[in-house]
Amino acid sequence: MYDSIILRNVSRLMFPILLLLSLFMLVRGHNLPGGGFIGGLVAASAFILQIIAAGPTYVRTSFQINFLNLAAFGVIFAALWGLPGLVTGEAYMLAFWLKEPIPGIGKLGTPVLFDIGVYLTVIGVTTQLALVLAEEPTLYPIQRPPARPNATAPEV
Amino acid sequence: MLVLIVLTALIMAPLGLFARYEPRPVIGWVLALAPLALFVVISALAPEVLAGGRLEQVIPWVPRMGLELRFALDGLSMLFALLVSGIGTLVVLYTAYYLAGDPGMGRFYLTLFIFMGAMLGLVLADNVLTMFMFWELTSVSSYLLVGYKHDYPSARRGAQMGLLITVGGGLALLVGLVLLGNVAGSYTISEILAAGEQIKASPFYTPAMLLIFLGCFTKSAQFPFHFWLPNAMQAPTPASAYLHSATMVKAGIYLLARLHPTLSDTPLWLYTLTGVGMTTMLIGAVVANRRDDIKGLLAYSTISKLGTMVLLAGMGGPEAPAALVATILAHALYKGALFMLAGAVDHEADTRSLAQLGGLRRAMPWTAALSILSSLSMAGVPILFGFVAKEEQLYAAVDNGLPPGLDIVVLVAVVTSAVFGVLYSWRLVSGVFFGPRGSGMKEHVHEAPAGMLIGPALLTTFSVVLPLGLLPATATLLQPAVNAISNEGAKISLYLFPSEIGLPLILSMTALLIGAVLTRFEPQIVAAPSPLPPWLNGDRIYDAAVDGVLRGATAFTRTLQNGRLRSYMTWSVLSLVAVVAPPLLFFGFNGLALPTLDGVEPFEFVSMLLIPIGVIATLQARTRLGAIIAASFVGLMVAYIFVIYSAPDLALTQLLVEILTTVFLVLLFAVMPASFEPLTAPAERSRDGLIAVIGGLVFAGIAFAASSSTELSPISQAFRAESQSQGFGDNVVNVILVDFRGFDTMGEIVVLFIALMGIYAMLRLRPGAGLARDDAETPAQPASPEAPAPQGNGQPGRPTPKEQEAPVAGKGR
């Protein structure tokens, strides 16, 4: 979108770092500032940086992610982890935790998985929004081939 | 058991879809086994009910709201359940032949079975809320059945009309039932009835009853809502016979009968039902004689009989309950048969117009014979069951519970409707089966297939055989239903001829005689002017109302949603202020002290001061980019304030949201002219500024009131205390988000997703623009000619490596 070789190269370097940062934010969220929403925004900004630096088509072709589906999946994934409560006859979204913490990740429970759903939804929604805007033809007109002159033009 | 009865029909519904395959008659026969089985099961339960018993079944649903699936079978329920399943069997069978060759038959069966389950649920429910749910389900399935031939505008209109009127009445009914339940302290019908005296003494009795009446009158096509029923005749005839004559339209009667034992017996009940029922009865009887369409004629005669039933439910008197039950049975028998026979005539002769039909008795002898017998029953000619029921009506009318003066009026009305009943019965038979051969019929008219005659034949047989010796048995069967309606222990005793010649018999014979004489003047009566003034045309009023609502909605939408962002903002802010400001002003500031600047560090003070400066800079900016930067500055300062007051989560979120908002704004604004153009007059801008200031003040007030309230202890302490022990997390904010208030977060991400869908639909799916880009969603073909690579801002940007690789076939075309 913005033709700058510096931006393009820097953003390519930044991308994995930003994604890692977002995962870091997601994982540490339960005990320190962070969480699914913040992590999701960081990851989305990583993608949006790519959109601005290299264009939406680049993002679509190199990542092969349908962000609309990702957002929908996130919502369903989050909703899914409320179900164990219903199955056991308790309230929807009652939390369940593993007894022992998993090394390197910490305690694992349904709220953490729910948070992952939030994370995916935020990534999907925000990035898809940026894509929709960046691809909007009234804002960024498509270079259409010139119409073939008088192919089937009605005679007036 | 009772739940299974309801569920069986509903579960059968998808199986109805098999009817799209051949051989259809066989499938129809197989499908008819289901309602037949229900009929047998309900009959098997009958001995217990006849012995005075009452079957109950309760399944808790939402216990905290008092919602439960509570079913009960008593005499009244049993009568209706037997009618629903019995006539249902015949209708399912009839449909297999009537709709043979119609591609939508599977869909028809699907809806028919849903209706059957709903209607059974309605009459078996012992909880008003359960009953209401099924009540609405019958309206919806009626909508689908009337609109079955959805290619025809008239069918769509009839379906929509029936739906709007019955569901509109249903809303009133719901409010009425909730009022009733609240007064009685229970939503169980039997407990509501037990609390009858208490309800009648309550000030809510009148509003509750009026709302319930509204529901019943709309459902049972009472004047002035009757006009939807003739329009519902757009439904295929099996649906008309089943829903719009034998069962669904009697739901209102059922509910009135259900509430009759303890809630009647007041002037409100007496006069409302008597007045409305009598009016409907007379209008239906008169208008039926002006109809040329045989289904229209039958529809108005149904309206007339429904009016009679409401009158019987309302007017009181010792004989009324028995007459009501007898009328329900008689009507279901002859009207169900006549509708099916009218369908057979339509099916074979290809017209329903009396003017175009005629002389069919030779071509369709069986149809003619059955129609004549059922019509005689409808006319109330002796030795048929319709006559027995009419005798009962006249007994009830002679001995009604109305004050002197009015009782005579009712009696005259009943006799008058009987006279007109004779007339329209005669018109139906003579117009279709006698006289010269009709002009508008098919060339060669044949007898209807046997499958279409089984149902009417059975029903007609009942009309004929019941009075011939089976009357005591019938009375025994109907007695429990009478018990359920009557509070005075009324007895039903059916006679073919009374032991002595009394007033009812004389009146009955007089009605027959006058009716027979009137048949000589049929053309004059048909051509007589309408009894209703032209402005009282329900159809026209309905159209005007629907039109008015649509026009009003359009005007409202044009005002509120005029496509200008600033007016959206204005309305949103104003409505928020209107809702939030009054409680804030009245209750929000009680006992709050003005904030002081004690303990505020100088650097904090300066950072806060920078926010208004940023706001002013935003307003003063001349270029779009400048305004974006100034607005971002405000956001960043807010984030900074969060940092100062140690809210790292908020600060992080605010920071990220601020960055992304700026990116989105730049994406949008980059292609717009660099500087602002004034589009509004200075006065408008001052007004908008004022609205903005008021909105800001209200929200500042909320923030202030919420943070300085001393009356309530903040919930944050409880959350902080339980975060580690209950939520296993040190970050309270996140534990609240994903655990304590996880359901809120769930709602928020759903809202987020819905917002995305809205934006996506608006930008991508609008007509014209962006449609060409839909397949850009599949990244596999990025360089297809329909989705060329977008170029930034019209400037030919350098193609990315991927684009260079991809074949640029589109460019060459």
Side-chain angles (χ1 to χ4, degrees):
Chain A
M1 313 220 23
Y2 292 97
D3 193 18
S4 150
I5 191 159
I6 301 175
L7 182 61
R8 220 166 32 240
N9 285 307
V10 170
S11 73
R12 208 167 292 171
L13 281 177
M14 293 271 290
F15 182 74
I17 302 172
L18 279 171
L19 270 196
L20 272 182
L21 178 67
S22 84
L23 284 174
F24 172 67
M25 283 291 185
L26 170 69
V27 172
R28 80 180 208 141
H30 217 59
N31 292 313
L32 292 161
F37 196 78
I38 292 170
L41 287 177
V42 172
S45 58
F47 284 110
I48 291 172
L49 189 60
Q50 297 297 308
I51 295 174
I52 291 178
T57 315
Y58 170 73
V59 174
R60 281 201 193 280
T61 48
S62 33
F63 297 113
Q64 304 267 329
I65 298 171
N66 185 333
F67 289 98
L68 197 62
N69 289 355
L70 182 71
F73 175 76
V75 173
I76 292 168
F77 188 77
L80 204 66
W81 293 108
L83 291 182
L86 274 191
V87 174
T88 54
E90 303 276 343
Y92 179 69
M93 295 215 73
L94 187 82
F96 287 89
W97 292 91
L98 289 180
K99 285 271 175 349
E100 295 303 319
I102 293 170
I105 295 177
K107 274 190 86 77
L108 198 63
T110 50
V112 175
L113 295 163
F114 173 79
D115 216 14
I116 293 174
V118 175
Y119 175 78
L120 296 177
T121 312
V122 172
I123 298 179
V125 169
T126 318
T127 313
Q128 178 68 46
L129 229 111
L131 276 175
V132 166
L133 284 179
E135 290 174 345
E136 170 58 33
T138 50
L139 293 180
Y140 301 99
I142 308 165
Q143 311 280 300
R144 286 201 180 282
R148 228 178 300 167
N150 60 37
T152 51
E155 286 176 42
V156 182
Chain B
M1 195 73 228
L2 298 176
V3 175
L4 279 182
I5 292 174
V6 175
L7 282 183
T8 306
L10 292 176
I11 291 169
M12 272 304 288
L15 296 184
L17 286 175
F18 280 113
R20 71 174 68 177
Y21 304 112
E22 295 293 342
R24 290 192 176 171
V26 177
I27 290 174
W29 279 88
V30 174
L31 286 175
L33 291 178
L36 184 66
L38 292 178
F39 185 81
V40 172
V41 167
I42 299 166
S43 311
L45 297 174
E48 198 165 334
V49 176
L50 290 181
R54 188 168 178 279
L55 295 165
E56 276 191 38
Q57 186 173 11
V58 186
I59 297 172
W61 186 8
V62 190
R64 261 181 276 175
M65 278 173 65
L67 260 182
E68 50 192 11
L69 289 174
R70 179 183 277 270
F71 295 100
L73 184 74
D74 68 352
L76 188 62
S77 302
M78 192 180 75
L79 171 65
F80 273 93
L82 286 175
L83 284 179
V84 170
S85 54
I87 297 187
T89 311
L90 305 178
V91 164
V92 167
L93 200 58
Y94 177 86
T95 307
Y97 296 89
Y98 184 82
L99 284 183
D102 189 309
M105 192 161 139
R107 179 163 55 90
F108 185 85
Y109 271 128
L110 172 79
T111 341
L112 199 71
F113 277 115
I114 290 177
F115 167 76
M116 195 185 291
M119 193 67 203
L120 285 169
L122 196 162
V123 297
L124 291 176
D126 193 30
N127 174 304
V128 283
L129 298 179
T130 315
M131 191 210 73
F132 177 76
M133 189 182 76
F134 287 116
W135 179 287
E136 292 296 64
L137 191 54
T138 60
S139 293
V140 171
S141 45
S142 162
Y143 167 75
L144 294 171
L145 287 169
V146 177
Y148 174 76
K149 291 180 206 147
H150 48 77
D151 310 342
Y152 294 86
S154 56
R156 294 200 298 271
R157 176 170 176 270
Q160 195 187 39
M161 185 187 285
L163 185 76
L164 283 181
I165 290 176
T166 51
V167 170
L171 282 181
L173 175 72
L174 176 64
V175 179
L177 292 176
V178 168
L179 281 179
L180 215 58
N182 279 358
V183 175
S186 163
Y187 287 112
T188 307
I189 293 178
S190 34
E191 285 176 31
I192 287 178
L193 289 181
E197 288 308 314
Q198 184 191 338
I199 294 171
K200 273 193 272 189
S202 146
F204 290 114
Y205 174 76
T206 308
M209 279 337 252
L210 285 178
L211 288 167
I212 291 174
F213 288 163
L214 202 59
C216 293
F217 291 166
T218 48
K219 193 82 169 179
S220 290
Q222 296 298 297
F223 178 83
F225 308 108
H226 62 282
F227 58 91
W228 74 262
L229 190 57
N231 281 299
M233 290 301 135
Q234 298 294 336
T237 304
S240 305
Y242 193 30
L243 275 74
H244 305 121
S245 146
T247 56
M248 186 188 82
V249 287
K250 294 201 180 95
I253 315 289
Y254 167 79
L255 183 58
L256 291 175
R258 183 51 84 204
L259 298 178
H260 185 269
T262 57
L263 293 175
S264 57
D265 203 21
T266 57
L268 175 76
W269 179 288
L270 198 69
Y271 293 121
T272 314
L273 293 196
T274 306
V276 170
M278 199 170 68
T279 316
T280 311
M281 175 176 79
L282 290 175
I283 287 178
V286 172
V287 177
N289 279 308
R290 302 166 42 77
R291 284 285 153 152
D292 176 57
D293 174 14
I294 49 178
K295 272 180 84 178
L297 185 151
L298 288 173
Y300 272 100
S301 86
T302 304
I303 291 173
S304 172
K305 282 301 165 213
L306 290 170
T308 313
M309 293 175 204
V310 169
L311 175 68
L312 288 171
M315 70 187 182
E319 294 289 336
L324 175 58
V325 171
T327 309
I328 289 172
L329 180 60
H331 182 253
L333 291 179
Y334 66 69
K335 197 57 71 62
L338 283 175
F339 262 112
M340 290 195 230
L341 292 164
V345 168
D346 183 20
H347 195 256
E348 300 305 321
D350 215 19
T351 176
R352 298 199 314 241
S353 162
L354 279 174
Q356 296 176 351
L357 288 163
L360 278 178
R361 69 183 184 285
R362 277 187 229 291
M364 306 177 76
W366 287 103
T367 311
L370 294 172
S371 297
I372 291 167
L373 282 173
S374 275
S375 296
L376 287 175
S377 180
M378 175 158 80
V381 173
I383 80 149
L384 289 157
F385 195 64
F387 168 74
V388 178
K390 194 181 65 173
E391 281 301 277
E392 286 292 319
Q393 287 165 26
L394 286 166
Y395 264 107
V398 167
D399 193 7
N400 64 36
L402 291 162
L406 202 58
D407 57 348
I408 303 291
V409 176
V410 167
L411 188 58
V412 171
V414 171
V415 174
T416 313
S417 93
V419 169
F420 281 105
V422 176
L423 187 57
Y424 59 66
S425 305
W426 185 80
R427 279 191 69 212
L428 185 67
V429 171
S430 70
V432 176
F433 299 104
F434 292 92
R437 194 180 183 283
S439 55
M441 307 189 305
K442 254 197 295 198
E443 193 72 18
H444 300 287
V445 182
H446 305 285
E447 180 59 277
M452 284 173 78
L453 294 178
I454 294 173
L458 252 172
L459 292 175
T460 309
T461 311
F462 273 116
S463 285
V464 177
V465 173
L466 285 188
L468 300 177
L470 285 174
L471 280 182
T474 315
T476 319
L477 263 170
L478 295 181
Q479 183 61 46
V482 177
N483 291 344
I485 299 174
S486 164
N487 47 344
E488 292 155 345
K491 288 270 169 282
I492 182 166
S493 43
L494 302 169
Y495 302 104
L496 189 48
F497 280 104
S499 45
E500 63 202 61
I501 295 180
L503 185 58
L505 187 65
I506 296 172
L507 287 174
S508 175
M509 289 302 138
T510 318
L512 273 179
L513 206 68
I514 301 176
V517 172
L518 279 185
T519 56
R520 309 301 306 161
F521 302 98
E522 187 204 341
Q524 286 90 328
I525 292 171
V526 172
S530 166
L532 290 174
W535 56 264
L536 201 64
N537 181 327
D539 270 71
R540 222 174 289 162
I541 295 173
Y542 169 86
D543 284 339
V546 170
D547 231 41
V549 168
L550 287 182
R551 233 176 292 144
T554 310
F556 191 66
T557 312
R558 291 245 167 89
T559 317
L560 279 187
Q561 311 209 335
N562 52 10
R564 291 193 198 114
L565 193 57
R566 57 176 180 280
S567 85
Y568 292 142
M569 293 294 287
T570 307
W571 289 115
S572 308
V573 171
L574 279 182
S575 33
L576 253 176
V577 166
V579 172
V580 169
L584 180 71
L585 287 178
F586 285 122
F587 313 111
F589 297 121
N590 292 344
L592 293 191
L594 273 180
T596 59
L597 290 178
D598 296 345
V600 177
E601 300 284 333
F603 77 97
E604 294 173 357
F605 188 72
V606 171
S607 349
M608 275 181 237
L609 217 59
L610 282 174
I611 294 179
I613 293 177
V615 171
I616 293 169
T618 313
L619 293 174
Q620 293 298 319
R622 299 233 181 88
T623 63
R624 283 178 211 277
L625 207 57
I628 294 172
I629 291 171
S632 313
F633 176 76
V634 175
L636 292 179
M637 286 320 294
V638 173
Y640 180 57
I641 300 260
F642 288 144
V643 172
I644 294 176
Y645 289 96
S646 20
D649 279 284
L650 283 180
L652 264 174
T653 313
Q654 172 78 19
L655 194 67
L656 286 163
V657 166
E658 205 51 56
I659 291 168
L660 290 173
T661 311
T662 308
V663 171
F664 285 134
L665 283 177
V666 169
L667 276 178
L668 282 169
F669 282 2
V671 288
M672 291 188 179
S675 57
F676 291 112
E677 279 166 57
L679 291 173
T680 46
E684 271 180 280
R685 254 171 292 167
S686 323
R687 186 199 60 196
D688 293 347
L690 186 70
I691 293 170
V693 169
I694 292 174
L697 281 176
V698 166
F699 279 88
I702 292 174
F704 170 61
S707 59
S708 351
S709 169
T710 48
E711 288 171 16
L712 304 163
S713 58
I715 50 172
S716 55
Q717 276 153 15
F719 282 145
R720 207 169 291 164
E722 287 174 1
S723 173
Q724 183 49 257
S725 59
Q726 303 282 318
F728 303 109
D730 295 328
N731 180 0
V732 186
V733 176
N734 199 53
V735 170
I736 293 174
L737 281 179
V738 299
D739 196 345
F740 295 158
R741 287 279 180 269
F743 201 65
D744 293 357
T745 311
M746 187 68 230
E748 278 155 23
I749 60 176
V750 169
V751 168
L752 204 62
F753 186 70
I754 292 172
L756 172 68
M757 297 302 283
I759 295 170
Y760 188 85
M762 212 156 62
L763 289 178
R764 282 291 166 82
L765 308 179
R766 66 172 188 260
L771 271 184
R773 314 196 57 119
D774 265 2
D775 52 353
E777 278 303 292
T778 35
Q781 329 123 344
S784 73
E786 280 77 26
Q791 306 294 333
N793 204 359
Q795 313 150 358
R798 220 189 62 164
T800 57
K802 270 274 151 99
E803 282 171 18
Q804 278 176 331
E805 284 168 31
V808 275
K811 297 270 156 76
R813 289 207 340 192

